[in-house]
């Protein structure tokens, strides 16, 4: 008696199989996904936890960007307010400095007017009055930090002097200041103007 499995008999071409005789088999390499009760994927299959996490991350990024934008705008506003405040303070300092400088010149003007009024009664007194006012003005500049400079017999210094002439002076060393044509005020680094001088010629 043969033990080989019996092969199913071939179905003749054109024959009609009866219901229940054929079984639908899945194609090789594929698997049919069915939901509960043998049905396909449920309606909530596309809205799983991954989509929820993505939505939360997107919302968090939008909130962070909005916060950064708000902080940036606040920083710009603070910077603009600081600039305006600094400009106002600088202008106040300049106005106060101008007023302080003008105030120390008022006594000079007062004495000049007084000398002019006395000159009508005593014309000879005008010279002494003008000299006194000149000295007062020089002292005022010195208090402001600008000492009068006009020494002769000193070596020429380009930082202090401005040469406007050269003269022959056999008794002076060449390059020595022999004449002051216009006094200077202040020192190098804090100088209103240099001293205009004539120096001895080099032989």
């Amino acid at each position: 008696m043969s033990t080989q499995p019996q092969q199913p008999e071939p179905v003749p071409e054109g024959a009609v199989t009866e219901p229940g005789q054929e079984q639908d088999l899945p194609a090789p390499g594929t698997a049919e996904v069915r939901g509960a009760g043998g049905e396909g994927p449920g309606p909530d299959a596309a809205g799983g936890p991954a989509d929820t996490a993505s939505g939360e991350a997107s919302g968090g990024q939008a909130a962070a960007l909005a916060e950064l934008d708000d902080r940036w705008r606040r920083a710009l506003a603070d910077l603009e307010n600081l600039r305006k405040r600094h400009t106002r303070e600088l202008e106040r300092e300049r106005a106060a400095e101008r007023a302080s400088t003008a105030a120390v010149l008022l006594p000079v003007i007062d004495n000049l007017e007084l000398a002019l009024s006395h000159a009508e009664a005593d014309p000879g007194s005008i010279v002494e009055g003008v000299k006194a006012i000149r000295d007062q003005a020089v002292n005022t500049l010195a208090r402001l930090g600008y000492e009068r400079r006009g020494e002769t017999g000193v070596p020429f210094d380009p930082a202090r002097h401005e040469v406007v002439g050269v003269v022959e002076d056999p008794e002076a060393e060449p390059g020595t200041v022999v004449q002051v044509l216009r006094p200077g005020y202040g020192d190098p680094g804090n100088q209103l103007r240099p001293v205009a001088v004539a120096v001895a010629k080099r032989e």
Side-chain angles (χ1 to χ4, degrees):
M1 187 171 184
S2 177
T3 60
Q4 296 180 355
Q6 297 181 357
Q7 300 292 331
E9 296 181 359
V11 179
E13 185 178 354
V16 179
T17 58
E18 295 181 0
Q21 291 181 353
E22 292 186 355
Q23 295 181 354
D24 296 333
L25 298 177
T30 62
E32 185 175 358
V33 180
R34 294 182 179 274
E39 297 179 356
D44 298 334
D51 291 340
T52 302
S54 176
E56 292 178 353
S58 178
Q61 291 179 355
L65 288 175
E67 182 181 358
L68 288 176
D69 182 72
D70 181 68
R71 292 171 62 183
W72 175 69
R73 294 179 183 277
R74 289 177 181 271
L76 285 181
D78 292 341
L79 182 61
E80 181 64 17
N81 291 336
L82 179 62
R83 185 189 66 81
K84 291 180 179 179
R85 184 167 61 251
H86 177 71
T87 301
R88 291 193 299 267
E89 292 177 355
L90 183 60
E91 184 59 31
R92 284 197 295 266
E93 289 294 331
R94 288 175 176 173
E97 188 66 24
R98 289 194 299 267
S100 177
T101 303
V104 297
L105 292 176
L106 290 178
V108 177
I109 298 175
D110 293 338
N111 287 336
L112 182 58
E113 292 178 347
L114 184 61
L116 291 174
S117 64
H118 290 172
E120 296 179 359
D122 183 7
S125 65
I126 186 65
V127 176
E128 295 299 324
V130 169
K131 287 182 178 179
I133 296 171
R134 190 273 314 274
D135 293 340
Q136 186 180 21
V138 169
N139 292 334
T140 299
L141 287 176
R143 290 201 307 271
L144 293 174
Y146 302 104
E147 292 279 352
R148 181 186 176 99
R149 302 299 182 189
E151 301 86 357
T152 59
V154 297
F156 170 75
D157 183 357
R160 297 173 179 271
H161 304 129
E162 177 185 357
V163 176
V164 295
V166 179
V167 298
E168 293 184 1
D169 189 344
E171 297 181 0
E173 290 291 332
T176 300
V177 175
V178 295
Q179 185 180 2
V180 174
L181 304 177
R182 184 189 65 202
Y185 293 90
D187 296 316
N190 185 36
Q191 192 175 59
L192 285 179
R193 72 180 187 193
V195 187
V197 300
V199 297
K201 181 186 298 185
R202 293 183 180 274
E203 297 181 358

